[in-house]
Amino acid sequence: MSRLWQDFRPFLALPDRQARRRLLAGAALAALTGLMGMALLGLSGWFITATALAGLSTVTALAFDVFMPSAAIRLFALGRTAARYGERLVTHDATLAVLAALRERLFRAWSAAGAARALALRPARILFRLTADVDALDTLYLRLIVPLCTGFIAALAAGITLAFISPLLGLAVFAVLILSGSVMVWRISRSATPATLRRAALIEGLRSGVIDLASGQTELLMAGQLPARCADLGALETRLATHENRLNRIETGAGIVFGVIAALLPPAVLVAAAMSGIGAPGVALALLVAMAASETLAPLRRGALDLARTRLAVRRIGPGLAPPDPSVIPPSPKDGVAVCLHHVTLRHDGAATAVLGDISLEIRQGEHIALTGPSGIGKTSLLQCLAGEIAPQSGEVFCLPSARLTQRTELFHDSLRGNLRLAAPDADDAELIAALTAAGLESLFDSLPDGLDTMLGDRGQGLSGGQARRLALARMILRNAPVWLLDEPTEGLDGQTARDVLARLHRAKDQKAKDRTTVVTATHTRREAENADRILVLGQGGILAIHIRGSPGFDAALTALRPD
C-alpha cells in the first residue's frame, strides 16, 4: 500500500488549486448523488409501507401526513438528477483539464536538450505514452477516487441510519460494505495485474507494428515481407484477445461475487430489522437503504480492473514530468559578438570519446562562417550546441538567439499558415505572405485556391523538395533571429534549385543588414561555402584550420569541397 501511495502521490499533487477545487467539487457531487439515491429509495419504501398500513384504519388514514414525505421524495428525486448531472459535468471537465495540463507538462519536459534525439529513436512508443498512458490516468480519479469516496460516505450514512434502528445492525452493515469493497478492489486488482500489464504491452507492440507497417509498406512489399509482417500482427492480435478474455472473465467473476453480496445483504438486514421490533415501515426503510448503499460499490469493479494499467502509466510518465533544464540555453555574448566558445568539449550520451574537444572560437556579428570536414566529424553537433539542443560536457558557450535550418525539412499536417506560424505565432497574414515571397514561393501561393488556409500533407506531402525547402526558409526568415544555423541547407536539391535557395538566403540576410545577421553553415558543397567570410575545417576532434576569405588557404579549402 505504501508503494502504491508513493507511485500516485506526485500525480495527486499535480493539479493547481483551482483544479483541486473542481475535483473535490466533483467528488462531493458524486457522494451527494449516492446519498440522495439512498434517501430516495429508503424514504419511498417507508412511505409506501406506511401509507398502506395507515389505510387499514380510518383514524390513522385521516391522521397520516402524506404531504411532507411526498414533498421530500420529490426533493430527493430532483436533487439526485441535478447532482448526477452536475457530478458528470464537473468530474469529467476537471479530469480532462488535468490531463490536458499533464500533456503540456510532458511536452515541456520533452523540449529539454537532447530530447529530440530520444524521441526520434522511439516515436511510436513516445506517442503511446502521450495518448494511451495519459488517458489511462482518468481511472485514478473517475473510477477509483470518486467511487471510493462515494462508497465510503454511502456506507457511513447507511450505518448511521440503521444505527437508529439497532446500533449493532448499523455497525455490521457499515463493516460489511467497507470490507467487501476493500477486498473486492484488492482481489480484482491482484488477479488482473498480470493480464493487464501483458495487454498493455501487446497493445503498444501492435500499435508500433501497425505504424511501421503503414510507413514502410512499400519497402516491405518490395522485399516480399509484407505477408509475414501482417501475419506477425495477426499473432499479436490473437494473443491480445486471449488476455482480453481473461480480463473479461475476472470482471464477470467479480460481478458474480458482488451480486452474491448484494443478494445476501438485504435478507440479513431484513431479519435483523424485524428482530429489533420496529414496524414494517422501518423494516422497509432499513432494507432499501442497505440495498442502495451496496449499489454504490459497483463502479469499483472497473476501477480495480484498471488499477494495474493506471499504475503502469504513472510509473512510465513520472520520470518525464521533470521541467527542462534552462541552463542549456546559451547566454548572450559580449557586444559585437554573436557566438563565443571557451574550451568547449562535446560528447554524446554513451559515447566513449568526445566528438569535439577543447574548442575555442569567436564569431563577430554579421559574419558568415562555413564549417567543413568529413561526415561525422561534429559539424551538426556544434550547431546543436549553439542552438541549445545539447549541452557541452565542459567549457562555456555564448550565443545570441538562433534559428536553425536542419538537414531534414520538418513540415506538419496543418495549414500553410499553421506551418509558418510555428516560427512567429503572432505574425499576421501580410508578414506570412512577405516571408513566402522572400523565399521564392509567391508563384506557389498564387496557385493555391485556399491561400494560407491550404492544408499540407504529412511531412509536407504535396510539395516538391525545393518547395518544402523554401517553406522552411520562409519559416526561418519569420523567426527573425540574429544568428542563422544552416545544416547543409541545399542537400538533396538539384543545382539550379539549390543556387536559387542560397541566393534567397543571402538576399534575406542582406535585407536584415541593420541587424547584422550571423550565419554559420555546416556544409560539404562548394556552393554553400563560397560566400563565407571564414572556412573552419574540423577534424581530429577539433578545429584543424581557419581560412580567411582572400587567402590561399581559403581558395584551397573551397576547391577541396564537393562541386555542384
Side-chain angles (χ1 to χ4, degrees):
M1 184 63 69
S2 62
R3 292 181 60 186
L4 186 66
W5 169 250
Q6 291 296 327
D7 288 338
F8 286 135
R9 186 175 62 177
F11 286 85
L12 296 176
L14 275 180
D16 56 24
R17 182 176 300 177
Q18 182 179 1
R20 281 196 292 270
R21 285 199 296 264
R22 294 165 69 185
L23 293 173
L24 290 174
L29 286 171
L32 181 62
T33 302
L35 290 177
M36 286 196 167
M38 290 172 53
L40 175 62
L41 193 60
L43 183 59
S44 297
W46 177 89
F47 182 57
I48 292 172
T49 307
T51 303
L53 293 176
L56 298 176
S57 169
T58 304
V59 176
T60 55
L62 294 175
F64 186 74
D65 183 9
V66 300
F67 297 105
M68 286 298 292
S70 60
I73 289 173
R74 292 190 184 94
L75 174 64
F76 290 142
L78 294 175
R80 181 177 182 275
T81 302
R84 170 65 70 186
Y85 176 77
E87 178 263 327
R88 291 302 173 92
L89 187 65
V90 173
T91 55
H92 286 75
D93 182 63
T95 302
L96 293 174
V98 170
L99 296 184
L102 179 60
R103 286 191 176 92
E104 181 184 2
R105 286 196 57 171
L106 284 174
F107 272 125
R108 292 187 182 278
W110 289 343
S111 68
R117 184 184 301 273
L119 293 176
L121 294 176
R122 301 182 301 173
R125 184 171 297 181
I126 297 300
L127 177 63
F128 193 83
R129 298 287 188 274
L130 185 63
T131 55
D133 280 0
V134 174
D135 289 341
L137 294 178
D138 65 359
T139 299
L140 181 61
Y141 177 68
L142 292 177
R143 296 180 179 176
L144 279 174
I145 295 179
V146 170
L148 281 172
C149 293
T150 302
F152 177 80
I153 293 175
L156 183 63
I160 294 174
T161 301
L162 298 181
F164 287 102
I165 299 174
S166 169
L168 184 60
L169 175 61
L171 181 61
V173 169
F174 175 75
V176 168
L177 292 174
I178 294 297
L179 287 176
S180 60
S182 302
V183 171
M184 181 174 65
V185 171
W186 173 77
R187 184 60 184 171
I188 293 175
S189 62
R190 183 175 180 181
S191 301
T193 293
T196 299
L197 297 181
R198 191 58 188 156
R199 173 178 173 268
L202 288 172
I203 290 177
E204 183 172 344
L206 187 62
R207 179 176 294 191
S208 299
V210 170
I211 292 175
D212 292 340
L213 180 65
S215 60
Q217 57 181 328
T218 302
E219 291 79 3
L220 291 172
L221 183 62
M222 295 293 291
Q225 294 296 315
L226 189 59
R229 189 59 59 89
C230 291
D232 291 341
L233 292 179
L236 282 178
E237 184 74 27
T238 302
R239 292 165 59 191
L240 177 61
T242 301
H243 292 286
E244 292 275 12
N245 291 335
R246 173 165 175 74
L247 291 175
N248 289 334
R249 288 195 297 270
I250 293 174
E251 185 175 12
T252 302
I256 293 174
V257 173
F258 171 76
V260 171
I261 295 174
L264 294 178
L265 185 62
V269 172
L270 182 62
V271 172
M275 292 177 60
S276 65
I278 64 172
V283 172
L285 173 67
L287 176 64
L288 294 176
V289 165
M291 291 177 60
S294 65
E295 287 296 328
T296 60
L297 301 179
L300 287 173
R301 286 180 295 164
R302 191 64 194 178
L305 200 67
D306 294 336
L307 179 60
R309 175 70 184 91
T310 305
R311 191 174 183 183
L312 175 65
V314 165
R315 288 178 173 177
R316 296 200 296 196
I317 292 176
L321 290 177
D325 184 6
S327 64
V328 176
I329 306 300
S332 296
K334 62 184 179 182
D335 290 343
V337 177
V339 174
C340 186
L341 292 86
H342 288 299
H343 302 289
V344 170
T345 297
L346 298 178
R347 186 192 304 271
H348 294 303
D349 294 338
T353 59
V355 62
L356 291 173
D358 197 26
I359 290 182
S360 294
L361 176 67
E362 184 173 282
I363 303 175
R364 305 291 297 179
Q365 291 185 20
E367 270 196 292
H368 183 177
I369 302 297
L371 303 176
T372 66
S375 296
I377 204 64
K379 301 186 295 297
T380 298
S381 299
L382 184 56
L383 294 184
Q384 289 174 331
C385 178
L386 297 180
E389 295 179 10
I390 60 175
Q393 183 183 10
S394 62
E396 295 180 301
V397 178
F398 302 90
C399 184
L400 294 175
S402 61
R404 182 167 170 238
L405 187 64
T406 60
Q407 296 178 20
R408 177 178 173 180
T409 303
E410 298 291 350
L411 300 175
F412 298 91
H413 182 61
D414 197 356
S415 66
L416 182 60
R417 177 187 287 105
N419 274 279
L420 287 170
R421 280 186 171 170
L422 288 174
D426 298 328
D428 56 28
D429 288 356
E431 293 174 305
L432 300 182
I433 295 173
L436 290 173
T437 301
L441 290 175
E442 61 274 13
S443 59
L444 173 66
F445 177 75
D446 292 339
S447 66
L448 297 176
D450 297 326
L452 293 172
D453 294 321
T454 301
M455 295 298 296
L456 302 183
D458 189 26
R459 299 180 181 177
Q461 190 174 15
L463 299 178
S464 67
Q467 289 172 337
R469 207 61 179 158
R470 288 187 177 95
L471 184 54
L473 171 60
R475 193 160 57 191
M476 191 181 70
I477 293 172
L478 277 170
R479 179 74 172 82
N480 198 27
V483 176
W484 288 357
L485 306 175
L486 311 179
D487 196 351
E488 301 185 31
T490 62
E491 186 67 23
L493 301 180
D494 62 82
Q496 182 179 356
T497 303
R499 290 197 172 274
D500 181 70
V501 169
L502 289 174
R504 292 183 182 279
L505 269 170
H506 295 307
R507 194 176 304 130
K509 177 181 180 298
D510 293 340
Q511 289 174 352
K512 295 174 60 178
K514 64 177 186 294
D515 299 322
R516 301 166 69 187
T517 303
T518 304
V519 179
V520 182
T521 304
T523 181
H524 290 287
T525 60
R526 195 175 301 165
R527 65 186 175 225
E528 295 176 350
E530 59 189 7
N531 289 319
D533 299 309
R534 286 188 288 170
I535 294 179
L536 275 62
V537 182
L538 302 184
Q540 300 177 8
I543 300 177
L544 291 180
I546 299 178
H547 302 295
I548 302 174
R549 170 176 287 278
S551 66
F554 184 93
D555 295 334
L558 196 61
T559 303
L561 295 176
R562 190 179 71 218
D564 291 353

